[in-house]
């Protein structure tokens, strides 16, 4: 892992971030003393991402879910339900 001083990091931030994103982490130093480490964020591979539906079969949705409380909502807005 290599180290850069703060001035270099400010001057070349975009280039350094691109390198870190490709897996080449680095440290930023102040007065020669490392103060932070910059690494890429781990992201799951495309096949490993959890998608909607991960709770399939764990609960059920009633068939009339879109009509539930029609009467009460109608009364709130002054209509006949």
């Amino acid at each position: 892992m290599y180290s850069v001083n703060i001035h270099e990091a400010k001057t070349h931030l975009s280039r350094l971030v691109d390198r870190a994103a490709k897996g080449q982490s680095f440290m930023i130093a102040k007065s020669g003393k490392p103060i932070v480490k910059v690494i890429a964020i781990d992201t799951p591979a495309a096949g490993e991402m959890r998608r909607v539906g991960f709770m399939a079969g764990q609960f059920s949705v009633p068939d009339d879910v879109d009509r539930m409380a029609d009467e009460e909502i109608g009364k709130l807005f002054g209509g006949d339900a």
Side-chain angles (χ1 to χ4, degrees):
M1 182 179 310
Y2 66 100
S3 179
V4 296
N5 64 40
I6 288 178
H7 177 73
E8 182 182 355
K10 288 194 291 186
T11 304
H12 303 289
L13 184 61
S14 292
R15 178 178 54 87
L16 292 168
V17 168
D18 287 342
R19 289 173 69 175
K22 293 176 184 172
Q24 197 174 32
S25 56
F26 65 96
M27 288 187 282
I28 298 176
K30 183 176 183 179
S31 301
K33 181 180 175 187
I35 53 174
V36 295
K37 179 179 177 182
V38 179
I39 60 170
I41 296 175
D42 292 332
T43 55
E48 296 176 14
M49 293 179 72
R50 297 195 72 173
R51 303 263 183 220
V52 173
F54 68 94
M55 294 186 71
Q58 295 186 25
F59 62 92
S60 62
V61 178
D63 291 334
D64 65 341
V65 69
D66 58 338
R67 293 181 306 279
M68 296 173 91
D70 275 354
E71 229 175 276
E72 292 85 358
I73 293 171
K75 288 177 185 175
L76 288 171
F77 290 96
D80 299 331

